[in-house]
Amino acid sequence: MNLSAELLAIIVCPDCHGDLEPVETEDGGELVCQVCGLAYPVRDDIPVLLVDEARRPG
């Protein structure tokens, strides 16, 4: 996963506006909200920040 520090500094969870932490996965990576726990996929180094696409914590 190749996301710039500038991008990570400005994007937030679209659901609760919490900070997002990058996490490497077998599928490439995801951004995990530190407040609500939703995990947003990163596809081809592009964050998919759609609540409908997010994985629920569980």
Side-chain angles (χ1 to χ4, degrees):
M1 186 168 46
N2 187 21
L3 299 174
S4 71
E6 293 86 9
L7 177 64
L8 291 173
I10 61 171
I11 60 174
V12 296
C13 175
D15 190 49
C16 72
H17 305 288
D19 291 331
L20 297 173
E21 183 73 26
V23 176
E24 292 289 335
T25 65
E26 292 177 2
D27 298 331
E30 58 189 14
L31 297 173
V32 179
C33 178
Q34 300 301 293
V35 177
C36 69
L38 288 176
Y40 298 91
V42 177
R43 297 184 186 128
D44 297 324
D45 292 332
I46 300 171
V48 180
L49 297 177
L50 300 171
V51 176
D52 292 340
E53 293 281 328
R55 182 176 56 80
R56 298 270 173 204

